[in-house]
Amino acid sequence: MDLQVENQRFIVCGASSGFGRAIAELLLDEGATVIAVARRENKLNELKDSFGDRVDIVVGDLTDDDTHNMIEAAIGNDQLHGVVVNAGGPPALSPLETAIYDWDQAYKNVMRWKIELILRLVSYFTSKEYGRILFVESQSVKQPIPSLVLSNSFRAGMVGFAKSLSQEVAEQGVTVNILAPGSHDTPAIKRVIKKAADESDKSFEEVREEMEASIPVGRFGKGEELASLAGWLLSPHASFVTGQTISHDGGNIKGLFG
């Protein structure tokens, strides 16, 4: 399918690796231009080396206002067509392992900056009566994950924000959706496997094999598989899809509405 995003402009947060990198590469392969945001400049430069002038890089911490300022400067006077709100998750902790400091930090790292960034960017979309806002969160918004209480809590809050925003901007041609990925073969899964291994007498590889076997399709997902779904949601084809939380989990969520 032609995604019809050629010459469209997107911001991709967390573009140095994992889901963000896979989504950025898919959009670029489809002819879009990307403002790639992450902390690791060397990884962003790899994208720029591969795709040239169609990549602008912003090096910074997404929880920092200065990074948001740099993102807006990179947009300039060009039309912005979409944004992928994506970053790493909080530490793997159970409820009784947390202190209030952990909750304060998780709010900052998982929730606050996303809302602040979107409140800055939404007028770029509404003024043109077109836009795609896509949050990459976690299957934990539908089915809590053991030892990830911070993710379970704050990512669910992001779904509440996104759903509410979607109702407010739909008439102006702006869609707001959430992807809820399950276990994928990306760097983020390693912290979950390590946490489970540390709490048992099993090795890292044993835990990994058990986790893959527990997924109905029998394996972890691939970043490029999720990116293909993200690309469609970011495209003109998805104009009638908004306010949705869409799982990409290999059948792992057990609920009827997974």
Side-chain angles (χ1 to χ4, degrees), residues 138-140 142-146 148 180-184 189 192 210-221 247-258:
S138 166
Q139 69 174 7
S140 67
K142 294 189 177 183
Q143 180 172 289
I145 300 172
L148 285 180
S183 299
H184 286 65
I189 196 64
V192 179
E210 288 182 1
M211 286 181 65
E212 288 198 277
S214 71
I215 299 169
V217 301
R219 63 172 177 85
F220 288 154
S247 306
H248 192 268
D249 67 336
N252 197 49
I253 294 171
K254 302 303 189 290
L256 290 177
F257 301 104

Side-chain angles (χ1 to χ4, degrees), residues 122-190:
V122 70
S123 63
Y124 288 90
F125 303 125
T126 56
S127 65
K128 299 293 185 180
E129 296 192 338
Y130 182 90
R132 300 287 181 265
I133 299 171
L134 181 63
F135 295 89
V136 181
E137 297 299 336
S138 166
Q139 69 174 7
S140 67
V141 304
K142 294 189 177 183
Q143 180 172 289
I145 300 172
S147 297
L148 285 180
V149 66
L150 299 172
S151 176
N152 297 341
S153 302
F154 287 110
R155 291 189 188 278
M158 287 311 306
V159 173
F161 171 77
K163 182 68 173 183
S164 301
L165 178 63
S166 73
Q167 302 299 297
E168 194 168 349
V169 298
E171 286 189 351
Q172 293 161 291
V174 182
T175 67
V176 186
N177 290 294
I178 306 99
L179 281 178
S183 299
H184 286 65
D185 196 8
T186 64
I189 196 64
K190 293 180 181 178

